[in-house]
Amino acid sequence: MQSLRFKAIDNLTSGNHEVNVEGSAKITSIFGENVFTLKTARDFLSDDAYKSLLGSIKTGQKIDRHVANQIAAGMRQWAEKKGVTHYTHWFQPLTGTSAEKHDSFFTLKGDGTPLDQFEGDALVQQEPDASSFPSGGLRATFEARGYTAWDPTSPAFIMHIGQGMTLCIPTIFVSYTGESLDYKAPLIKSIEALNKSAVEVCHYFDRNVTKVHVNLGWEQEYFVVDEGLANARPDLVMTGRTVFGHTPAKGQQLEDHYFGSIPERVYAYMRDFEYEAYRLGIPLRTRHNEVAPAQFECAPIFEELNLAVDHNTLLMDVMSRVAKRHKLKVLLHEKPFAGINGSGKHNNWSMGTDTGVNLLAPGKTPKTNLMFLAFFVNTIKAVHDHADLLRASIASAGNDHRLGANEAPPAIISAYIGHYLNKVLEEIETRVSDKFDEQDEVMLKLDIHKSIPELLLDNTDRNRTSPFAFTGNKFEFRAVGSSANCANGMLILNTIMAETLANFKKEVDALIEKGDKKEVAIMQVIKTYIKESKKVLFEGDGYSEEWTKEAAKRGLPNLKTTPIALDPLVSDKAKKLFEKHNVYTHSELEARHEIELEKYLKIVQIEGRVIGDLAGNHILPASIRYQNMLINNIKGLKDIGVPEKSYKAQLNILEEISEHINKVQALAFEMTEARKKANALTDTREKAIAYCDKVKPYFDEIRYHVDKLELLVDDSEWELPKYRELLFLR
Ligand code: ADP
Ligand code: MG
């Protein structure tokens, strides 16, 4: 029987994968056409209903039942006009993907007449059967109820799935007793916490500020491979990454893929998912190749954080669906292939006021410069004080392969701010005297605005190896994993920033009370913060061995594996912090910690099983078949009297193969034993650590021998598509 590998290669080269792509329409003419935008709402809602929706979006005003009915009716009318028959509450449970439960508008009246209906109650709240979503023990099984509640700040949209269309209502997901079970609820709370602290600090500079919002622009990296080839790799199907595979002769060393022309088949795929994205109001802006072969990136224009997170989650879903249409598979895993770059999701984060000021953009006057400096230095201080929480926010089984690996941020959290701003901070530290007086106000001019060209230069030549980099008017959190929900990192960043700003305000106020002039007080606290947090600043090569040593000397944490990196989430410090800012209760934090640990250990467990299965059912049989071929060959030569020195090569290969076969078998057995031991542990953290330290090390050991076998065994006997095929055939 021909193996799947060769069938896939045949299919691929026969080229029957052409797809017609619709996306020739002008973007502006289709943008947001499947979104219930405010403009659409204006057309479909009464004045009262529209005003109420607007009030809810702008100021969080409650929508009463009667009005909710009107909004629901308007939404249904709009959706039905487009051919929609079903609706769903769309939410983001802690599995990491989005979830839906579709209900139809169709219902029966008491007398049996059919009726299409969508009432306010159905819009506002639903009770999906939630018992199998992760809850970290928050929902006892007897009380399995979870509720989804409408989030009016993120507009409803229509999702096309095959021929069907569904009205999706973005919602938060909470337990019966109100604990959050998703990413969105705490994210919204963290945005509110940051708003509160930031507005107060803004008031030192501008009393007109009443709201500070948070922006996110994400950059999504991904791999694209042929679907047939991917399906012939059980490891890709089950885990999203290849657990075996010898490095191809050509990898990324030529760097010829980066910014090269996009392969045609992938280009058609990109245009197709972009078309879907535009109709869903996702403002994609850039697309390009990444460094590794078959790796790409897309990025939208930044948006308000909550919406940006929804859009990223939605796009990951759209990308996977559209790929199917093109007989491609998109890999969002952080490290689908060993030996070449992994994928990240850079999170560009900034804060803006309702007066139109980006708080992370250097200003044009001394006053706005001081405001910039305050927010800038507070961010550094937040990263310094809570680096452990930021690290925890990006910890996952997938990201463990990537952090510290080839071309990726290390597990040490540091911040890069560029040469110019480093000098500014140094000057403040050395020149602002303790008796800072008005004469020193010259300092405040700082001339940052005049140095903008210099700043830009700094940022174009910026350090790509830093996990947290200032890039001109925003910070870029680069350590986020490509498959992660952005909310996790962002909500922690918001919360530590809220905390730092609140303390800043307290300290400045105290100095003012003692008689300092406002600007002087602010400058003094900024100076203290620079002193206290400068050890987190690093401008050098974050991937280097020296940095790891230097960071250790500086006392910066370097938590390499997820089970340990998650610990800070449940420290007393973290519990107080999240409670104070009303983002997580203690039990919510403990539940999250538990869920993340469980997610981790389940992934490693599944990978272990896949490795065992593949070794047993694919690798060893193919290797033994080839071993037999060699034995027959040797026997035959011997039978006809050929001297042994003439088949020395065969004997050598046979010996080598036999050795690797033995090793694979023995190691797979040992790994199973280690898994059994780990499974016997009852404490989730201990179990996760056992999987990490006792089971996972076998993965690489087994892989070493399997990859050697791949080089030795007859290519036609090898059933798993090889790296060269996955990465270069399309
Ligand atoms: P790159 O990092 O690849 O050079 P850019 O810096 O141009 O790309 O932009 C990356 C992302 O940052 C985009 O999504 C962009 O919209 C976003 N971005 C730009 N300015 C801001 C800002 N002030 N706040 C948040 N995100 C921003
Ligand atoms: Mg970037």
Side-chain angles (χ1 to χ4, degrees), residues 402-471:
R402 181 182 157 256
L403 293 177
N406 197 5
E407 268 281 302
I412 307 158
I413 300 289
S414 65
Y416 169 87
I417 57 172
H419 173 71
Y420 179 74
L421 282 164
N422 252 301
K423 257 182 41 200
V424 170
L425 298 197
E426 253 167 49
E427 292 229 336
I428 295 172
E429 205 191 330
T430 50
R431 279 184 38 199
V432 175
S433 65
D434 289 341
K435 288 187 286 313
F436 181 81
D437 61 30
E438 241 156 282
Q439 258 190 353
D440 290 326
E441 257 190 71
V442 190
M443 266 302 300
L444 299 181
K445 295 210 173 72
L446 285 168
D447 285 339
I448 291 182
H449 65 284
K450 283 200 202 124
S451 305
I452 280 183
E454 214 178 320
L455 248 182
L456 287 179
L457 202 68
D458 234 18
N459 290 315
T460 44
D461 182 31
R462 64 194 186 228
N463 190 333
R464 294 235 146 236
T465 63
S466 175
F468 198 85
F470 182 70
T471 49

Side-chain angles (χ1 to χ4, degrees), residues 46 69 136 139 143 175 179 184 186 189 223 260 276 326 370 389 398 463 468 471-472 507 516 522 567 584 654 721:
S46 68
N69 271 331
R139 256 179 297 114
E143 183 44 276
S175 75
E179 284 115 343
K184 200 191 227 316
K189 290 176 182 175
F223 280 84
E276 289 298 326
H326 292 254
L370 186 57
L389 283 176
N463 190 333
F468 198 85
T471 49
E507 288 174 50
D516 274 353
I522 291 171
D567 283 345
Y584 286 133
L654 183 64

